[in-house]
Amino acid sequence: MLKYIRTTWLHVVIVMLAVFLDGGIAQQFAGVLFKLPMSASPYITILAILMPILSGTVKQIGNRWLYATAIVAGVLSDIFYVGVIGIATIGFPITIWLAKKIQHYLPDTMGWSMVTWFLSMCAYLIFDYFAFGIINLANMDVFNFIVFHLFPTLIVNLIFYIVLYAPLGYLYHVTKQPDISSYNTDQRDLNSGVPIRTRTRSRRQ
């Protein structure tokens, strides 16, 4: 059944679900995730927007849908969770661009994809920190940011990565459409290796 679902639409649905799942987790476990001075934010959305790159199915979706979905997810995240339009809206597409650059040099395996995800996540969190600093909404110094936000956030989201990568990867691969451009459809294949003249002559006899 899943093979009849387009990977593009699957990606959009997964990303939108991830946006609201992040908010639900943050609300339900706020006492644990945001116990001062620690702050560990769930970012399943980043894993979701990067899954086509991490799973090697990005060609099935295309850059237009990939970036458009990230922008919409960023707008929703900014509206519901961040409170400032532009942080995630700009940060998510930048994270995709960086992940594509990194994954270009790495194999499409869970281990190497984890490296891509880890570096991309770090880059987004650093971007998030400096973006809030520019608009004077971040009052945490670099040391406290690394110890009490960056490190705990990476640990929490690493757990999400380990739990979700395999099932998400399966969904992306099972909905992947065959690449018909690689099929060999020359004249010999179409005629099953039998020349047209020979077949015509045999029919006359």
Side-chain angles (χ1 to χ4, degrees):
M1 184 65 182
L2 287 174
K3 66 181 180 179
Y4 299 108
I5 300 176
R6 292 180 61 86
T7 311
T8 301
W9 295 111
L10 173 73
H11 177 65
V12 173
V13 171
I14 288 177
V15 171
M16 294 302 109
L17 289 176
V19 171
F20 295 103
L21 186 59
D22 281 338
I25 293 175
Q27 183 178 11
Q28 293 297 321
F29 299 95
V32 177
L33 296 175
F34 306 105
K35 188 175 182 179
L36 295 177
M38 188 188 76
S39 173
S41 301
Y43 280 110
I44 300 177
T45 304
I46 291 184
L47 173 60
I49 64 175
L50 294 183
M51 272 308 299
I53 302 170
L54 303 179
S55 62
T57 57
V58 66
K59 290 183 179 180
Q60 293 288 314
I61 298 174
N63 287 329
R64 181 181 300 177
W65 277 98
L66 191 67
Y67 283 101
T69 305
I71 292 173
V72 173
V75 171
L76 293 176
S77 296
D78 285 338
I79 292 175
F80 291 118
Y81 312 128
V82 180
V84 179
I85 302 296
I87 304 296
T89 305
I90 298 174
F92 285 175
I94 291 178
T95 305
I96 287 179
W97 176 83
L98 179 62
K100 290 185 67 175
K101 294 296 183 181
I102 297 173
Q103 191 66 21
H104 178 73
Y105 300 98
L106 300 176
D108 294 325
T109 62
M110 181 177 179
W112 286 110
S113 295
M114 184 183 293
V115 174
T116 302
W117 167 85
F118 180 82
L119 295 176
S120 302
M121 176 67 74
C122 288
Y124 176 80
L125 293 175
I126 293 172
F127 167 83
D128 182 75
Y129 172 75
F130 282 106
F132 274 105
I134 291 174
I135 58 178
N136 296 320
L137 290 180
N139 54 6
M140 184 183 298
D141 58 45
V142 175
F143 176 79
N144 287 328
F145 163 72
I146 295 174
V147 174
F148 296 116
H149 182 62
L150 178 64
F151 183 71
T153 298
L154 290 174
I155 294 297
V156 169
N157 286 279
L158 178 60
I159 297 174
F160 291 142
Y161 178 93
I162 294 173
V163 172
L164 297 175
Y165 177 85
L168 288 178
Y170 169 78
L171 291 176
Y172 278 87
H173 281 287
V174 79
T175 58
K176 183 178 180 180
Q177 301 297 315
D179 185 8
I180 61 175
S181 63
S182 61
Y183 290 172
N184 186 358
T185 57
D186 59 17
Q187 188 66 33
R188 289 177 299 176
D189 289 337
L190 293 174
N191 294 324
S192 302
V194 180
I196 297 178
R197 292 181 180 179
T198 304
R199 289 191 300 170
T200 305
R201 186 179 304 171
S202 62
R203 289 178 181 176
R204 290 176 181 178
Q205 293 177 352

